[in-house]
Amino acid sequence: AEYMGKYTPFEKQHGDRGSIDEVILNKRRFEYEEALRQNEHNYDVWFDYVKLEESHGNQNRIRETYERAVAALPPGQDKRYWKRYIYLWIKCAVYEELDAKDVDRARAVWQVCLDTIPHEEFTFGKMWLMFAEFEIRQKRLEAARKKLGEALGRCPKKNIFNGYIEIEYQLGEFGRCRKLYEKFLETFPEYCEAWIQFAQLEHKLREVGRARSIFELGVEQELLDMPELLWKAYIDFEIANQEHGRGRKLYERLLEKTKHVKVWISYAQFEAGVVNSPRNARGAFERGERHFATEAEGDDAAEQRVMLLEAWREFERMWGTAEQKERIQQKMPKRVKKRRPLHTEDGTEAGWEEYYDYIFPDDQKRKSTDCVAARLRLPRHTGDR
């Protein structure tokens, strides 16, 4: 380090342009080597190092630097340590293909990279897909398919399925797309996005019956990761095909599974906006409000009821008469602040907290009616005479 510190200013003073550039290059190499001697897993330094060598174009040095970089395997088999490291392999493969124009060497880089990743612990779907895309650029479609098939056999991942299907779709191989979707859903039957994409593929191919069957199979699954998305896509599919009766039946089926406020609101908006039936929309709002008033349980029942009433009020502003607008306005609750005691896990009192509650006019009327009825049922007491 002391020698480099003295030699650099000497060359700057007495050397020519070429020798000065060489000295500066060697100084930067020395700095990178020192940093890597302290920590060979500092991949940011490796990226800068290979960038430096690439900028000077010495192919042997570039390849040697890449080989040293990828040899610095991450400590342990935790994927988070590999996420930065893996891009060294990608840069190396891209260099061999695009700069060095050595296709065979690039293919070898991709293969050694895949052999290095501990697939039993984790994998990188993008590496399989990029290898397949490389083979397609070399017009080796069967090799690409073979590599993706190996990926699905060894470590099936959602992004590999999606990437493989996208490749076949771009090639117009819809039969292969169907087979891949079937395998996809056998592997991940709970994945709603795959059910939706499969049905949408059939819809694009004008196979309405097949698309509907796929949606039916999807909504009948016992476990789904995002069922609301699948039901919405199914309903939108029927709307797109002008099957309003089927759409209405789907809403009724969905209400058998969940009576969430968003379903009631969506149902009413469907009747008003799609079917153009304010009467049916109002009926959906009334049913939903009755459910939250008399049947719904849980801490958020009042909040959901308020959301439904607000959506109903907006609907009446557009569709309702003056009388109907007044009627929904009378149903709107009063928001009040209350206090309740707080308790620790062992039941000890821990103070008080403030919260907001809603007082609904209909509930007050119902309570008043119940009180009157209870008083009428009370037996009369006659005093001693």
Side-chain angles (χ1 to χ4, degrees), residues 46-47 50-51 53-54 59-72 87-96 99:
W46 282 116
F47 280 113
V50 295
K51 184 179 179 180
E53 296 297 352
E54 286 179 348
Q59 191 174 87
N60 290 332
R61 275 191 170 277
I62 295 169
R63 284 175 170 167
E64 180 188 353
T65 308
Y66 270 123
E67 288 171 5
R68 290 177 58 203
V70 298
Y87 281 96
L88 288 168
W89 285 101
I90 295 174
K91 279 182 64 67
C92 182
V94 170
Y95 168 78
E96 293 293 352
D99 295 335

Side-chain angles (χ1 to χ4, degrees), residues 229-241:
L229 291 184
L230 183 57
W231 280 96
K232 183 181 184 302
Y234 193 0
I235 291 167
D236 290 343
F237 162 79
E238 296 295 5
I239 292 172
N241 287 285

